Amino acid sequence: MPPEVAASKFAALGSEQRLGVLQTLVRAGDDGLSMGALGERSGVTGSTLTHHLKILSHAGLVTQTRQGRNLICVAVAYEEVQKLSHFLLRNCCVDTNHECQKDG
């Protein structure tokens, strides 16, 4: 992942509320949540939730789909979150003689 892409994704997580929304979606798993359920569980509702989801979606960290009339926030784009984590840890301990902590 190029540094500028990682920086963009981290910027999307630069809000306590957005980070909380993402964590709520991670806890929900692959099935995701409806907007109403996401709002209840995260404590972020209405236009504020819509705004945060737009930013997270634009960063590729969440995906949104429709089931009938309900908008479902399909949890998290897990692959993207894993890539972001790997970006942070890819050079773990390379400049030391210590055992890397990323594996355990």
Side-chain angles (χ1 to χ4, degrees), residues 5-61:
V5 172
S8 174
K9 292 179 186 299
F10 282 118
L13 294 173
S15 156
E16 186 175 331
Q17 283 188 329
R18 280 194 293 278
L19 187 57
V21 166
L22 185 69
Q23 289 176 316
T24 300
L25 289 170
V26 167
R27 287 191 300 271
D30 289 333
D31 291 339
L33 295 169
S34 68
M35 291 289 283
L38 178 57
E40 287 176 18
R41 291 184 190 186
S42 69
V44 182
T45 59
S47 62
T48 302
L49 179 58
T50 301
H51 169 74
H52 289 317
L53 286 174
K54 181 178 178 182
I55 292 169
L56 291 170
S57 180
H58 182 70
L61 299 172

Side-chain angles (χ1 to χ4, degrees), residues 35-103:
M35 291 289 283
L38 178 57
E40 287 176 18
R41 291 184 190 186
S42 69
V44 182
T45 59
S47 62
T48 302
L49 179 58
T50 301
H51 169 74
H52 289 317
L53 286 174
K54 181 178 178 182
I55 292 169
L56 291 170
S57 180
H58 182 70
L61 299 172
V62 300
T63 59
Q64 298 177 357
T65 59
R66 289 200 176 273
Q67 283 184 345
R69 301 180 82 186
N70 294 322
L71 183 63
I72 302 296
C73 302
V74 179
V76 174
Y78 286 102
E79 187 175 316
E80 289 302 309
V81 173
Q82 287 171 340
K83 286 178 187 177
L84 199 54
S85 176
H86 179 71
F87 175 85
L88 284 176
L89 298 174
R90 69 179 176 212
N91 295 317
C92 182
C93 304
V94 296
D95 294 337
T96 71
N97 293 326
H98 300 248
E99 184 176 327
C100 186
Q101 297 298 311
K102 74 177 179 182
D103 296 325

